[in-house]
Amino acid sequence: MEEAFSSDSVENQELLRFTTLPQTAEDLKILFLENVFDLQMKWATSTLFEFSQADRKYYHDEALRYFIQRFPDTCLVMYKPVFMINKAPVEGDIIIVTPTETLCICLIETYKSAVFQYSKENFWTELRGRDQKKILNPLIGLNRTEQIVRSIYRTHDIEHNVKKILLSRNGYIDYAAEPYQVEFVDARKYEEWFYELRKSKAPLKFKQMKAAQVLLEHSQSIYFDREFEAGE
């Protein structure tokens, strides 16, 4: 992931919000999802001999919670990983390694019902009612992430389909035709796209685990030995 994740003390602090037993089915669902998130964070930041300590911002990152809590456990999430390319760090977009394919996802969201006008140039126009502003073309970073993933897969002879998705759950992407090999998912298509991913029953597969492994091997990580932790 972009940085190392957090210690047990932070996880415990996050659970302190639940000061009473769940009173409704909705309360129970929220508590379950929080526990899932905490377990996934602990798994992502710990090994038998090492641990990582993350910025607390990740515990309040709505997008990270969304990808971890709302998708099947068979979807392996890399949240904005930093790849080491020719000894230089390069930040990627969100990567989800599913049992059947690797999804490179760029999430563009600001205000509800914002409209993003597609362009082949370096900048797009974002419309918010009567207001508008220029934003960096999100496909630049998305294409870079896809190229890195494909390159790593080729180097290690990994056969796993790679797909690019530009995602806006609450906004709209204004375009005449989708560019080659990119899927635009905005508020008009989001529910259908989300349902298709959620309903997948495919189990974890060896080639999926191998794909995730080689991506991690080329990612930057910050960690401490557990002996050091004990010595403190």
Side-chain angles (χ1 to χ4, degrees):
M1 305 185 97
E2 181 184 13
E3 292 184 31
F5 279 147
S6 93
S7 63
D8 291 349
S9 61
V10 175
E11 293 170 9
N12 292 335
Q13 291 173 14
E14 289 299 309
L15 289 175
L16 289 178
R17 77 186 73 177
F18 299 101
T19 57
T20 61
L21 291 174
Q23 300 298 310
T24 66
E26 186 63 23
D27 289 343
L28 188 61
K29 177 181 177 182
I30 293 174
L31 179 57
F32 172 77
L33 291 175
E34 289 296 323
N35 285 332
V36 167
F37 181 78
D38 289 324
L39 287 172
Q40 293 279 27
M41 292 283 279
K42 184 174 183 179
W43 176 83
T45 60
S46 304
T47 69
L48 184 60
F49 302 106
E50 298 153 347
F51 76 99
S52 298
Q53 190 167 8
D55 193 310
R56 285 181 60 88
K57 68 181 181 180
Y58 290 110
Y59 283 86
H60 304 283
D61 191 315
E62 185 277 330
L64 175 58
R65 286 181 173 273
Y66 163 75
F67 286 107
I68 289 182
Q69 292 179 331
R70 304 299 302 279
F71 288 80
D73 290 341
T74 53
C75 293
L76 308 178
V77 179
M78 298 183 69
Y79 190 72
K80 300 181 180 179
V82 176
F83 293 102
M84 298 304 297
I85 307 298
N86 297 325
K87 298 183 179 181
V90 179
E91 183 174 322
D93 277 309
I94 301 161
I95 299 171
I96 300 182
V97 185
T98 78
T100 58
E101 59 187 356
T102 298
L103 306 178
C104 299
I105 300 175
C106 178
L107 186 66
I108 52 170
E109 292 180 355
T110 51
Y111 291 87
K112 185 177 181 180
S113 299
V115 177
F116 302 92
Q117 292 184 330
Y118 166 77
S119 171
K120 294 182 180 180
E121 305 302 324
N122 289 333
F123 291 92
W124 288 15
T125 300
E126 178 187 350
L127 305 176
R128 305 175 188 173
R130 296 182 178 179
D131 299 326
Q132 65 179 44
K133 72 171 187 176
K134 295 292 183 179
I135 63 171
L136 183 66
N137 184 340
L139 297 182
I140 295 175
L142 185 58
N143 290 334
R144 180 173 61 243
T145 300
E146 180 220 18
Q147 291 168 4
I148 292 173
V149 171
R150 288 188 184 277
S151 177
I152 292 173
Y153 283 176
R154 283 195 301 270
T155 300
H156 295 273
D157 295 323
I158 300 296
E159 294 184 2
H160 210 242
N161 185 45
V162 181
K163 189 175 183 180
K164 292 182 293 186
I165 297 174
L166 186 62
L167 175 62
S168 182
R169 295 170 294 176
N170 62 1
Y172 300 89
I173 305 173
D174 182 17
Y175 60 97
E178 289 180 343
Y180 181 62
Q181 292 186 334
V182 181
E183 180 180 2
F184 287 169
V185 179
D186 61 12
R188 293 166 292 194
K189 298 174 58 178
Y190 169 69
E191 292 297 335
E192 178 183 356
W193 175 83
F194 181 65
Y195 174 76
E196 289 297 319
L197 277 178
R198 290 267 296 177
K199 77 174 185 178
S200 173
K201 303 298 182 183
L204 283 167
K205 296 184 179 181
F206 174 77
K207 68 176 183 178
Q208 173 194 10
M209 299 294 289
K210 187 65 177 177
Q213 179 185 353
V214 298
L215 292 177
L216 287 171
E217 288 175 352
H218 288 268
S219 300
Q220 185 182 62
S221 61
I222 303 172
Y223 60 86
F224 304 94
D225 293 336
R226 289 198 176 276
E227 291 181 358
F228 176 83
E229 179 187 26
E232 289 295 305

